[in-house]
Coordinates of all heavy atoms in Angstrom, one line a residue:
A338 N -5.0 -2.0 9.9 CA -5.2 -2.4 11.4 C -3.9 -2.1 12.1 O -3.9 -1.7 13.3 CB -5.6 -3.8 11.5
E339 N -2.7 -2.3 11.5 CA -1.5 -2.0 12.1 C -1.4 -0.5 12.4 O -1.0 0.0 13.4 CB -0.3 -2.4 11.2 CG -0.1 -3.9 11.1 CD 0.6 -4.5 12.3 OE1 0.9 -3.7 13.3 OE2 0.8 -5.7 12.3
L340 N -1.8 0.3 11.4 CA -1.7 1.8 11.5 C -2.6 2.3 12.6 O -2.2 3.2 13.3 CB -2.2 2.4 10.2 CG -2.0 3.9 10.0 CD1 -0.5 4.3 10.0 CD2 -2.7 4.4 8.8
Q341 N -3.8 1.6 12.8 CA -4.7 2.1 13.9 C -4.4 1.4 15.2 O -5.2 1.6 16.2 CB -6.1 1.8 13.4 CG -6.5 2.5 12.1 CD -6.4 4.0 12.2 OE1 -6.4 4.6 13.3 NE2 -6.4 4.7 11.1
G342 N -3.5 0.5 15.2 CA -3.1 -0.1 16.5 C -4.0 -1.3 17.0 O -4.0 -1.6 18.2
V343 N -4.7 -1.9 16.1 CA -5.6 -3.1 16.5 C -5.2 -4.4 15.8 O -5.8 -5.4 16.0 CB -7.1 -2.8 16.1 CG1 -7.5 -1.5 16.9 CG2 -7.3 -2.6 14.7
A344 N -4.1 -4.4 15.1 CA -3.7 -5.6 14.4 C -3.4 -6.8 15.3 O -3.6 -7.9 15.0 CB -2.5 -5.4 13.4
D345 N -2.8 -6.5 16.5 CA -2.5 -7.5 17.4 C -3.7 -8.2 18.0 O -3.6 -9.3 18.6 CB -1.6 -7.0 18.5 CG -0.2 -6.6 18.0 OD1 0.2 -7.1 17.0 OD2 0.5 -5.8 18.7
R346 N -4.9 -7.7 17.8 CA -6.1 -8.2 18.3 C -6.9 -8.9 17.3 O -8.0 -9.4 17.5 CB -6.9 -7.1 19.0 CG -6.2 -6.4 20.2 CD -6.8 -5.1 20.6 NE -8.2 -5.4 21.0 CZ -9.1 -4.4 21.1 NH1 -8.8 -3.1 20.8 NH2 -10.3 -4.7 21.5
L347 N -6.5 -8.8 16.0 CA -7.3 -9.2 14.9 C -7.3 -10.7 14.6 O -6.2 -11.3 14.5 CB -6.8 -8.4 13.7 CG -7.8 -8.3 12.4 CD1 -9.1 -7.6 12.8 CD2 -7.1 -7.5 11.3
V348 N -8.4 -11.3 14.3 CA -8.6 -12.6 13.8 C -9.4 -12.5 12.5 O -10.4 -11.9 12.4 CB -9.3 -13.5 14.7 CG1 -9.5 -14.9 14.1 CG2 -8.6 -13.6 16.1
V349 N -8.8 -13.1 11.4 CA -9.4 -13.0 10.1 C -9.7 -14.4 9.6 O -8.9 -15.3 9.6 CB -8.5 -12.3 9.1 CG1 -9.2 -12.2 7.7 CG2 -8.2 -10.9 9.6
V350 N -11.0 -14.6 9.1 CA -11.4 -15.9 8.6 C -11.9 -15.7 7.2 O -12.7 -14.8 6.9 CB -12.5 -16.6 9.4 CG1 -12.9 -17.9 8.8 CG2 -12.1 -16.7 10.9
V351 N -11.4 -16.4 6.2 CA -11.7 -16.2 4.8 C -12.2 -17.6 4.2 O -11.6 -18.6 4.5 CB -10.5 -15.8 4.0 CG1 -10.9 -15.3 2.6 CG2 -9.7 -14.7 4.7
G352 N -13.3 -17.5 3.5 CA -13.9 -18.7 2.9 C -14.8 -18.4 1.7 O -14.9 -17.2 1.3
S353 N -15.5 -19.4 1.3 CA -16.4 -19.2 0.1 C -17.5 -20.2 0.2 O -17.6 -21.0 1.1 CB -15.6 -19.3 -1.2 OG -16.4 -18.9 -2.3
D354 N -18.4 -20.2 -0.9 CA -19.6 -21.1 -0.9 C -19.1 -22.5 -1.0 O -19.7 -23.4 -0.4 CB -20.4 -20.8 -2.1 CG -20.8 -19.3 -2.3 OD1 -20.2 -18.5 -1.7 OD2 -21.7 -19.1 -3.2
F355 N -18.1 -22.8 -1.9 CA -17.6 -24.1 -2.2 C -16.4 -23.8 -3.1 O -15.9 -22.7 -3.2 CB -18.6 -25.0 -2.7 CG -19.6 -24.4 -3.6 CD1 -19.3 -23.8 -4.8 CD2 -21.0 -24.4 -3.3 CE1 -20.2 -23.2 -5.7 CE2 -22.0 -23.8 -4.1 CZ -21.6 -23.2 -5.3
G356 N -16.0 -24.9 -3.9 CA -14.9 -24.7 -4.8 C -15.4 -24.7 -6.3 O -16.6 -24.6 -6.6
R357 N -14.4 -24.9 -7.2 CA -14.7 -25.0 -8.6 C -14.3 -26.4 -9.1 O -13.5 -27.0 -8.5 CB -14.0 -23.9 -9.5 CG -14.1 -22.5 -9.0 CD -15.5 -22.0 -8.8 NE -16.3 -21.9 -9.9 CZ -17.6 -21.5 -10.0 NH1 -18.1 -21.0 -8.8 NH2 -18.3 -21.5 -11.1
T358 N -14.9 -26.8 -10.2 CA -14.6 -28.2 -10.7 C -13.2 -28.3 -11.1 O -12.4 -27.4 -11.4 CB -15.5 -28.4 -12.0 OG1 -15.4 -27.3 -12.9 CG2 -16.9 -28.7 -11.6
N359 N -12.8 -29.6 -11.2 CA -11.4 -29.9 -11.5 C -11.2 -30.0 -13.0 O -10.3 -30.8 -13.5 CB -11.0 -31.3 -10.8 CG -12.0 -32.4 -11.1 OD1 -12.8 -32.2 -12.0 ND2 -11.8 -33.5 -10.4
K360 N -11.9 -29.3 -13.8 CA -11.8 -29.2 -15.2 C -12.5 -28.0 -15.7 O -13.4 -27.4 -15.0 CB -12.3 -30.5 -15.9 CG -13.8 -30.7 -15.7 CD -14.2 -32.0 -16.3 CE -15.7 -32.2 -16.0 NZ -16.2 -33.5 -16.6
Y361 N -12.2 -27.6 -16.9 CA -12.8 -26.4 -17.5 C -14.0 -26.9 -18.3 O -14.0 -28.0 -18.8 CB -11.9 -25.7 -18.5 CG -10.7 -25.0 -17.8 CD1 -9.6 -25.7 -17.5 CD2 -10.8 -23.7 -17.4 CE1 -8.5 -25.1 -16.8 CE2 -9.7 -23.0 -16.8 CZ -8.6 -23.8 -16.5 OH -7.5 -23.2 -15.8
N362 N -15.0 -26.0 -18.5 CA -16.2 -26.4 -19.3 C -16.0 -25.8 -20.7 O -14.9 -25.2 -21.0 CB -17.5 -25.9 -18.7 CG -17.5 -24.4 -18.5 OD1 -16.9 -23.6 -19.2 ND2 -18.2 -23.9 -17.5
A363 N -17.0 -25.9 -21.6 CA -16.8 -25.4 -23.0 C -16.7 -23.9 -23.1 O -16.3 -23.4 -24.2 CB -18.0 -25.9 -23.8
D364 N -17.0 -23.2 -22.0 CA -16.9 -21.7 -22.1 C -15.6 -21.2 -21.4 O -15.6 -20.1 -21.0 CB -18.1 -21.1 -21.5 CG -19.4 -21.4 -22.2 OD1 -19.3 -21.3 -23.5 OD2 -20.4 -21.8 -21.6
A365 N -14.6 -22.1 -21.2 CA -13.4 -21.8 -20.5 C -13.7 -21.4 -19.0 O -12.9 -20.7 -18.4 CB -12.6 -20.7 -21.2
G366 N -14.8 -21.9 -18.5 CA -15.1 -21.6 -17.1 C -15.0 -22.9 -16.3 O -14.7 -24.0 -16.8
K367 N -15.3 -22.8 -15.0 CA -15.4 -23.9 -14.1 C -16.7 -23.8 -13.4 O -17.1 -22.8 -13.0 CB -14.2 -24.0 -13.1 CG -12.8 -24.2 -13.8 CD -11.8 -24.4 -12.7 CE -10.4 -24.7 -13.3 NZ -9.4 -24.9 -12.2
D368 N -17.3 -25.0 -13.2 CA -18.6 -25.1 -12.5 C -18.5 -25.3 -11.0 O -17.4 -25.2 -10.5 CB -19.4 -26.1 -13.3 CG -19.6 -25.7 -14.7 OD1 -19.8 -24.5 -15.1 OD2 -19.5 -26.6 -15.6
H369 N -19.6 -25.6 -10.4 CA -19.6 -25.8 -8.9 C -19.0 -27.1 -8.5 O -19.2 -28.2 -9.1 CB -21.0 -25.7 -8.4 CG -21.7 -24.5 -8.7 ND1 -23.1 -24.3 -8.4 CD2 -21.3 -23.3 -9.3 CE1 -23.4 -23.0 -8.8 NE2 -22.4 -22.4 -9.3
W370 N -18.3 -27.1 -7.4 CA -17.6 -28.3 -6.8 C -17.7 -28.2 -5.3 O -17.4 -27.1 -4.7 CB -16.1 -28.2 -7.3 CG -15.3 -29.5 -7.0 CD1 -14.3 -29.5 -6.0 CD2 -15.4 -30.7 -7.6 NE1 -13.8 -30.8 -6.0 CE2 -14.4 -31.6 -7.0 CE3 -16.1 -31.3 -8.6 CZ2 -14.2 -32.9 -7.4 CZ3 -15.9 -32.6 -9.0 CH2 -14.9 -33.4 -8.4
P371 N -18.1 -29.2 -4.6 CA -18.4 -29.1 -3.2 C -17.2 -28.9 -2.3 O -17.3 -28.5 -1.1 CB -19.1 -30.4 -2.9 CG -18.7 -31.3 -3.9 CD -18.5 -30.5 -5.1
I372 N -16.0 -29.2 -2.8 CA -14.8 -29.2 -1.9 C -14.2 -27.8 -1.9 O -13.8 -27.3 -3.0 CB -13.8 -30.2 -2.4 CG1 -14.4 -31.6 -2.5 CG2 -12.6 -30.3 -1.4 CD1 -15.2 -32.1 -1.2
G373 N -14.0 -27.2 -0.8 CA -13.4 -25.9 -0.6 C -12.4 -25.8 0.4 O -11.9 -26.8 0.9
S374 N -12.1 -24.6 0.9 CA -11.0 -24.3 1.9 C -11.4 -23.2 2.7 O -12.3 -22.3 2.3 CB -9.7 -24.0 1.2 OG -9.2 -25.1 0.4
F375 N -10.8 -23.1 3.9 CA -10.9 -21.9 4.7 C -9.4 -21.4 5.0 O -8.5 -22.2 5.0 CB -11.5 -22.2 6.1 CG -13.0 -22.2 6.1 CD1 -13.7 -23.4 5.9 CD2 -13.7 -21.1 6.3 CE1 -15.1 -23.4 5.9 CE2 -15.1 -21.1 6.3 CZ -15.8 -22.3 6.1
I376 N -9.3 -20.1 5.2 CA -8.0 -19.6 5.7 C -8.4 -18.8 7.0 O -9.3 -18.1 7.1 CB -7.4 -18.6 4.7 CG1 -6.7 -19.5 3.6 CG2 -6.4 -17.7 5.4 CD1 -6.1 -18.6 2.5
V377 N -7.6 -19.1 8.1 CA -7.7 -18.4 9.3 C -6.4 -17.7 9.6 O -5.3 -18.3 9.4 CB -8.0 -19.3 10.5 CG1 -8.3 -18.5 11.8 CG2 -9.2 -20.2 10.2
M378 N -6.4 -16.4 10.0 CA -5.2 -15.6 10.1 C -5.2 -14.9 11.5 O -6.2 -14.4 12.0 CB -5.1 -14.5 9.1 CG -5.1 -15.0 7.6 SD -5.0 -13.7 6.4 CE -3.3 -13.2 6.6
E379 N -4.0 -14.9 12.1 CA -3.8 -14.2 13.4 C -2.3 -14.1 13.6 O -1.5 -14.9 13.1 CB -4.4 -14.9 14.6 CG -4.5 -14.1 15.8 CD -5.2 -14.8 17.0 OE1 -5.7 -15.9 16.8 OE2 -5.3 -14.2 18.1
K380 N -1.9 -13.0 14.2 CA -0.5 -12.8 14.5 C 0.0 -13.6 15.6 O -0.7 -13.8 16.6 CB -0.2 -11.3 14.7 CG -0.4 -10.4 13.5 CD -0.2 -8.9 13.9 CE 1.3 -8.7 14.2 NZ 1.6 -7.3 14.5
N381 N 1.3 -14.0 15.5 CA 2.1 -14.5 16.7 C 1.4 -15.7 17.4 O 1.3 -15.7 18.6 CB 2.3 -13.4 17.7 CG 3.0 -12.2 17.1 OD1 4.0 -12.4 16.3 ND2 2.6 -11.0 17.4
Q382 N 0.9 -16.7 16.6 CA 0.3 -17.8 17.1 C 1.0 -19.1 16.8 O 1.6 -19.2 15.7 CB -1.2 -17.9 16.6 CG -2.1 -16.8 17.1 CD -2.2 -16.6 18.6 OE1 -2.2 -17.6 19.3 NE2 -2.2 -15.4 19.0
P383 N 1.0 -20.1 17.6 CA 1.8 -21.4 17.3 C 1.1 -22.2 16.3 O 1.7 -23.2 15.8 CB 1.8 -22.1 18.7 CG 0.6 -21.5 19.4 CD 0.5 -20.1 19.0
W384 N -0.2 -22.0 16.0 CA -0.9 -22.9 15.1 C -0.9 -22.4 13.6 O -1.5 -23.0 12.8 CB -2.4 -23.0 15.6 CG -3.1 -21.7 15.9 CD1 -3.2 -21.2 17.2 CD2 -3.7 -20.8 15.0 NE1 -3.9 -20.0 17.1 CE2 -4.2 -19.7 15.8 CE3 -3.9 -20.8 13.7 CZ2 -4.9 -18.6 15.3 CZ3 -4.6 -19.7 13.1 CH2 -5.0 -18.6 13.9
T385 N -0.2 -21.3 13.4 CA -0.1 -20.8 12.0 C 1.0 -21.4 11.2 O 1.8 -22.2 11.7 CB 0.0 -19.2 12.1 OG1 1.1 -18.9 12.9 CG2 -1.2 -18.6 12.7
N386 N 1.2 -20.9 10.0 CA 2.2 -21.5 9.1 C 2.0 -23.0 8.9 O 2.9 -23.8 8.9 CB 3.6 -21.2 9.5 CG 4.6 -21.5 8.5 OD1 4.3 -21.5 7.3 ND2 5.9 -21.6 8.9
R387 N 0.7 -23.4 8.8 CA 0.3 -24.8 8.8 C -0.8 -25.0 7.7 O -1.6 -24.1 7.5 CB -0.3 -25.3 10.1 CG 0.7 -25.4 11.2 CD 0.0 -25.7 12.5 NE -0.9 -26.9 12.5 CZ -2.1 -26.9 13.0 NH1 -2.7 -25.8 13.5 NH2 -2.8 -28.0 13.0
V388 N -0.9 -26.2 7.2 CA -2.0 -26.6 6.4 C -2.5 -27.9 7.0 O -1.8 -28.8 7.3 CB -1.5 -27.0 4.9 CG1 -2.7 -27.5 4.1 CG2 -0.9 -25.7 4.3
V389 N -3.9 -27.9 7.3 CA -4.5 -29.1 7.7 C -5.6 -29.5 6.7 O -6.1 -28.6 5.9 CB -5.2 -29.0 9.1 CG1 -4.1 -28.7 10.1 CG2 -6.2 -27.8 9.1
G390 N -6.0 -30.8 6.7 CA -6.9 -31.2 5.6 C -6.1 -31.5 4.4 O -5.0 -31.0 4.1
E391 N -6.7 -32.4 3.6 CA -6.0 -32.9 2.4 C -6.9 -33.3 1.3 O -8.0 -33.8 1.6 CB -5.1 -34.1 2.8 CG -4.2 -34.6 1.8 CD -3.3 -35.8 2.3 OE1 -3.2 -35.9 3.5 OE2 -2.8 -36.5 1.4
T392 N -6.5 -33.0 0.1 CA -7.3 -33.5 -1.1 C -6.3 -34.2 -2.0 O -5.1 -34.1 -2.0 CB -7.9 -32.3 -1.9 OG1 -6.9 -31.4 -2.3 CG2 -8.9 -31.6 -1.0
D393 N -6.9 -35.1 -2.9 CA -6.1 -35.8 -3.8 C -5.7 -35.0 -5.1 O -6.1 -33.8 -5.1 CB -6.7 -37.2 -4.2 CG -8.0 -37.0 -5.1 OD1 -8.3 -35.9 -5.6 OD2 -8.7 -38.0 -5.2
E394 N -5.1 -35.6 -6.1 CA -4.6 -34.8 -7.2 C -5.7 -34.3 -8.1 O -5.5 -33.4 -8.9 CB -3.6 -35.7 -8.1 CG -4.3 -36.9 -8.7 CD -4.3 -38.1 -7.8 OE1 -4.1 -38.0 -6.6 OE2 -4.6 -39.2 -8.3

Side-chain angles (χ1 to χ4, degrees):
E339 290 283 0
L340 188 67
Q341 302 298 343
V343 298
D345 289 341
R346 301 165 58 196
L347 195 61
V348 179
V349 179
V350 181
V351 192
S353 191
D354 311 12
F355 35 63
R357 312 305 300 182
T358 48
N359 54 10
K360 61 182 178 181
Y361 294 85
N362 60 30
D364 296 315
K367 292 186 180 181
D368 301 318
H369 300 175
W370 188 252
I372 309 304
S374 299
F375 280 92
I376 284 179
V377 185
M378 302 179 71
E379 190 176 2
K380 292 180 65 178
N381 305 317
Q382 297 299 324
W384 47 263
T385 55
N386 193 20
R387 290 170 57 226
V388 177
V389 298
E391 188 176 339
T392 58
D393 68 11
E394 66 275 12

